[in-house]
């Protein structure tokens, strides 16, 4: 099913994505195609491992990918683990994008890679 048909079929913004549970630290390596909702939020800017490079994270999907695949290995503390779980729960529809964003910001601050966030203006919610 292509993206356009998938969107029409489900009647809301969704996309086809590949989920690899081995990135979550599970013993069972599972890879399948899943349907995930598109969950945008106001972007958060973080530092990357490359000197002077920044990354804007603007959705739950991007935050999840960053947490699972690009997070500094020595910075996976309590807030990282909480953010990872909240983001995965949001992808399953059990949490909100707003909560996932807040958890991601807390984890970035804990890891000392947080730079800034784009705050919603009153004119542009």
């Amino acid at each position: 099913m292509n993206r356009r048909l998938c969107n029409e079929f489900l009647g809301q913004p969704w996309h086809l994505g590949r989920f690899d549970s081995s990135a979550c630290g599970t013993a069972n390596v599972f890879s399948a195609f899943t349907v995930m909702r598109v969950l945008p939020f106001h972007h958060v800017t973080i530092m990357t491992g490359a000197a002077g490079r920044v990354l804007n994270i603007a959705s739950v999907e991007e935050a999840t990918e960053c947490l699972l695949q690009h997070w500094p290995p020595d910075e996976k503390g309590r807030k990282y683990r909480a953010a990872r779980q909240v983001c995965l729960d949001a992808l399953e529809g059990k949490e909100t994008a707003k909560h996932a964003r807040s958890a991601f910001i807390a984890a970035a601050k804990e890891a000392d890679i947080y730079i800034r966030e784009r705050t919603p203006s009153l004119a542009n919610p």
Side-chain angles (χ1 to χ4, degrees):
M1 180 181 288
N2 69 34
R3 176 183 273 182
R4 186 168 78 57
L5 289 175
C6 184
N7 288 344
E8 289 173 5
F9 176 73
L10 297 171
Q12 52 184 307
W14 296 74
H15 73 279
L16 294 176
R18 186 174 184 276
F19 177 74
D20 181 357
S21 68
S22 65
C24 300
T26 60
N28 179 10
V29 177
F30 169 76
S31 184
F33 282 93
T34 60
V35 176
M36 296 185 297
R37 298 182 302 157
V38 176
L39 300 168
F41 55 60
H42 294 283
H43 78 260
V44 177
T45 304
I46 62 169
M47 270 307 240
T48 66
R53 302 240 2 222
V54 297
L55 184 61
N56 288 321
I57 304 296
S59 70
V60 174
E61 294 82 3
E62 291 174 4
T64 305
E65 178 182 350
C66 181
L67 289 162
L68 296 177
Q69 298 178 10
H70 307 292
W71 206 257
D74 297 338
E75 300 296 339
K76 294 184 177 181
R78 183 181 59 82
K79 291 181 182 179
Y80 162 84
R81 291 186 301 275
R84 182 183 66 192
Q85 189 59 56
V86 170
C87 286
L88 290 171
D89 287 348
L91 292 175
E92 292 179 4
K94 298 175 186 175
E95 275 292 351
T96 65
K98 183 178 179 178
H99 190 201
R101 180 180 185 268
S102 296
F104 181 80
I105 290 169
K109 287 179 178 179
E110 178 185 64
D112 201 27
I113 61 171
Y114 170 83
I115 296 178
R116 67 181 171 272
E117 59 189 278
R118 177 178 171 242
T119 55
S121 70
L122 295 175
N124 186 16

